[in-house]
Amino acid sequence: MNKAENNLLTNSEVVFIIFGSMVGVGILALPASAAATAHEDGWITAIIGSVYPLYLIGICAYFAKKFPNDNILVISQKCFGRILGTILNFILLTFFVFLCASIATNYTNIIRTFIQGFLPSYILIALIFFVCAYTSTKGLKTIGKVSVVIFFTTVIIYFSPIGALKSASLLNVRPVIKSNIKDIFQGSLKTMFSYSGIETIFFIYPCAKDKKKFIKSSLMGLFIAVIVYTWVIFISIYYLGADIAEKNYWPFLLVTESVTVSIVNNFRYIFMFLWTLTVFKIVSNNYFISKVIMQDLFKKVNFKVLCYGMVPIFIYGSLRLDGFVESGLIEEKLTNYYVIFILTFITILALITLIKEGWKR
Amino acid sequence: MNKKKYFIIIAVVIIYTIISLGTEKISLEDLGIITGIGYDMKKVSPTEKKYIFPFSVYDFETSGKRSSHISVGEGRNVGETIETRQKQMNKTILQGLERTFVIGEVFAENGLKPILDERARNYQTSDMAFGAICKGKSEEILGMNIEGYGSSSEFIAGLIERQQGYNFFSQNYKVIDMLVRIDAEGRNLVMPYIDVQEGKIEIVGLAIFKKDKMIATTDLYTAKILNLLREDNVKGVLSYQKKPKEYTDIYVTSKRKVKCEKKQDKYTFTIDLKLTGNIASNTLYKDILTNLKDKEEYEKLMSKKVQDNCNEFLNKMKNEYKTDCLELGREAAAKYGRRKGIDWNEIVCNSEIKVNVKVIVNEQGRGDFIK
């Protein structure tokens, strides 16, 4: 096996990169927004919301078949021409910057509330991005390995409140699908955004070792994410009830703290430590993708310089989003726009390639 | 490679110093650890109320001695109480280790909403502290000296926690249970009711809430029946006494199932109670274990007695309390849909509630001395 092949991603790395790009900071707050719109049927929205990533994976399967060695940046320049393609790629870059920035601000908000009130947020944000910049200088293979390791070390936090199953009652999640269908649909639109990060697949499929199994692996990653999201929403509503879950900012955290683990005295710090790892992972995954786009825009710049050079942009973006009320308002709007942009962008791209192919024949 | 290693070590040291700059370290003797919180209210004028929140605080002396004192915060709102409390303190307050919270009667009657919001927002406090409603002022109970305990709040926490297993008490009297019950559809809160009797703190019954306001208190006998009807998988003693010297007691574990049916606009609730237990003491039936007839007769008599007690309580609930203290509305809401603007307290009190009790004796202990 030569060195180039060694740098390709194995199947399990693909699974956990995809899982790791989606699931991170959102799990704590997701039950609140799901319960606020779909009430006791909130957990169903996580399943319905997976339509969005499924659609993207479907289109990715088509691209992977047509252009097995080109990522989306090359395809977009091929289809839209050099100038328009570059502009669209740049918008894609801003999306990833926004994603990283919003994750980092949410993270600092929670960590400052619960355990590190003494640290100003800009220090935390700067630390996160320097660590992520360092990780992304090591390349995609390292990101893959880190994703696998972090998944297995932190999987316990998703299922730590399993003891709550005993102490609460199933009455809280009943009646099933008796609330308004419109409510469930609206809730699904909200949970759909928590799957953003799935866009990573368009950048990593050329790097997979086993290209035939790439789609299967990414579906596997999505499947694990759907299970985790559904479980997190379900257990929060199950333990607290839909009326109370929506009143908390981070209901999942309340559930984990209420379930006493007999050996561990204060589970909060262990939870926060492990959860910090998942946040670092999700930020570094998305940071790496932004670096890939940046590299495409500035081909001549040394990639290490680029990695560290991007840090100030991210810090600036995060600090712009700082503040609980402001960030909530901006994030909601921007995520809506970006999801619409990505859906149309990818769809048009797929259509153009389809038409071009027909033209050739 | 070596250069890089040194660079990383230096970077870590620099980051650590930057982070730890300006943080202050406090020794244990300078900390005031809160072990119990009280909530009282005083009416200054018909429109104006004053909050009085006593805090039981531990003092650690350099000699290693441990004692506690009460510091009181007063004010027109929760924020003011925090500042007035600190007026008499020479220490930094440390939250999160409190064991109990005691709510005064007057405060509970006026509604728990003011502290609920503070509790839900405050990330430093412990959600696992046990709570109780007390007769009179909470300050007096928290300030009591109990031998062997650093402060009375420690005793009260144990008192509430260890009721489980007797009088059909559950353990659902924590902050988190309070947050989960108030405001949830079809649910109502009950809390242990404590009082000082002959110099000792005792559980004297239950306090019944409607939404966030306390509407009634019960004696221990009524509390026992209420618990039996309300909670699932709880334990207690049932007795059947014919004459002063002839009685049979059993220690039972309950199993509760609720069925709810709706015909047109009428709801019917059926509570099935299955009580299995062992004989704790028996002077009434000579051969309850060898004679099937005796056993069945006893089970029937006991079931009838419990059922009568339950029906008596249900009458009291419908006519006196006018609240759904059994959380039956929750079952109906789970079956027939939520958020329809139904007042479950009213619906439950005006509908038919059936109770079926089945007592089963299945364990006997190690010997029989009455033969």
Side-chain angles (χ1 to χ4, degrees), chain B residues 168 170 172-173 227-234 254 256:
Chain B
F168 303 108
S170 68
N172 301 330
Y173 310 114
N227 282 335
L228 181 64
L229 282 166
R230 181 188 160 98
E231 316 280 352
D232 181 30
N233 197 13
V234 283
S254 81
R256 170 189 187 253

Side-chain angles (χ1 to χ4, degrees), chain B residues 198-226:
Chain B
E198 291 167 13
K200 281 180 184 167
I201 302 174
E202 267 182 26
I203 299 248
V204 289
L206 275 177
I208 299 173
F209 283 75
K210 188 178 197 171
K211 288 198 173 142
D212 69 322
K213 289 192 171 84
M214 184 174 92
I215 50 154
T217 55
T218 70
D219 55 6
L220 200 55
Y221 169 75
T222 319
K224 185 175 168 178
I225 305 294
L226 199 164

Side-chain angles (χ1 to χ4, degrees), chain A residues 262-316:
Chain A
S262 54
I263 311 162
V264 184
N265 197 8
N266 200 340
F267 190 67
R268 177 188 285 181
Y269 295 96
I270 295 171
F271 184 92
M272 279 292 174
F273 170 70
L274 290 175
W275 178 73
T276 298
L277 287 180
T278 67
V279 173
F280 273 57
K281 172 199 66 183
I282 186 171
V283 177
S284 59
N285 284 9
N286 290 310
Y287 189 95
F288 179 78
I289 300 300
S290 351
K291 195 220 85 180
V292 172
I293 306 175
M294 207 65 159
Q295 189 79 72
D296 192 67
L297 295 176
F298 305 99
K299 285 194 175 93
K300 280 175 191 163
V301 185
N302 182 338
F303 85 102
K304 266 192 185 175
V305 175
L306 205 61
C307 275
Y308 290 113
M310 273 158 56
V311 172
I313 306 172
F314 282 86
I315 295 177
Y316 174 74

Side-chain angles (χ1 to χ4, degrees), chain B residues 49-242:
Chain B
K49 291 162 196 162
K50 198 174 177 189
Y51 295 133
I52 301 167
F53 294 170
F55 289 76
S56 174
V57 181
Y58 265 148
D59 303 309
F60 290 96
E61 288 161 30
T62 32
S63 61
K65 234 177 109 185
R66 189 183 65 171
S67 60
S68 73
H69 76 275
I70 298 279
S71 82
V72 184
E74 286 180 31
R76 284 169 297 137
N77 49 47
V78 178
E80 263 181 30
T81 63
I82 297 172
E83 297 214 308
T84 48
R85 173 189 71 200
Q86 198 63 27
K87 271 200 311 200
Q88 318 146 352
M89 292 277 295
N90 60 340
K91 288 172 180 177
T92 310
I93 284 290
L94 180 72
Q95 298 177 336
L97 293 169
E98 59 268 24
R99 299 285 312 278
T100 179
F101 64 99
V102 180
I103 301 170
E105 219 170 5
V106 183
F107 192 97
E109 277 163 4
N110 278 291
L112 302 179
K113 275 273 158 69
I115 54 169
L116 275 185
D117 184 64
E118 193 266 341
R119 277 271 152 174
R121 215 171 278 281
N122 194 339
Y123 53 87
Q124 290 178 331
T125 57
S126 158
D127 290 335
M128 308 309 275
F130 281 93
I133 311 293
C134 75
K135 200 171 185 178
K137 281 183 188 169
S138 63
E139 194 179 339
E140 286 161 16
I141 281 195
L142 283 177
M144 269 180 73
N145 259 331
I146 295 169
E147 224 172 283
Y149 289 89
S151 77
S152 72
S153 44
E154 235 177 74
F155 173 80
I156 296 168
L159 182 75
I160 299 160
E161 194 177 356
R162 296 292 157 234
Q163 289 309 307
Q164 193 198 28
Y166 304 92
N167 285 319
F168 303 108
F169 271 105
S170 68
Q171 278 196 341
N172 301 330
Y173 310 114
K174 299 184 278 288
V175 178
I176 181 83
D177 299 305
M178 201 167 82
L179 290 175
V180 163
R181 274 168 185 75
I182 294 174
D183 268 10
E185 191 174 345
R187 302 194 79 172
N188 274 316
L189 181 72
V190 295
M191 294 282 264
Y193 187 55
I194 57 173
D195 190 15
V196 183
Q197 287 191 341
E198 291 167 13
K200 281 180 184 167
I201 302 174
E202 267 182 26
I203 299 248
V204 289
L206 275 177
I208 299 173
F209 283 75
K210 188 178 197 171
K211 288 198 173 142
D212 69 322
K213 289 192 171 84
M214 184 174 92
I215 50 154
T217 55
T218 70
D219 55 6
L220 200 55
Y221 169 75
T222 319
K224 185 175 168 178
I225 305 294
L226 199 164
N227 282 335
L228 181 64
L229 282 166
R230 181 188 160 98
E231 316 280 352
D232 181 30
N233 197 13
V234 283
K235 288 169 184 164
V237 178
L238 296 173
S239 333
Y240 181 73
Q241 193 156 13
K242 225 174 188 179

Side-chain angles (χ1 to χ4, degrees), chain B residues 38-53:
Chain B
Y39 297 103
D40 282 326
M41 183 188 270
K42 205 166 81 180
K43 276 190 181 165
V44 184
S45 69
T47 48
E48 223 175 293
K49 291 162 196 162
K50 198 174 177 189
Y51 295 133
I52 301 167
F53 294 170

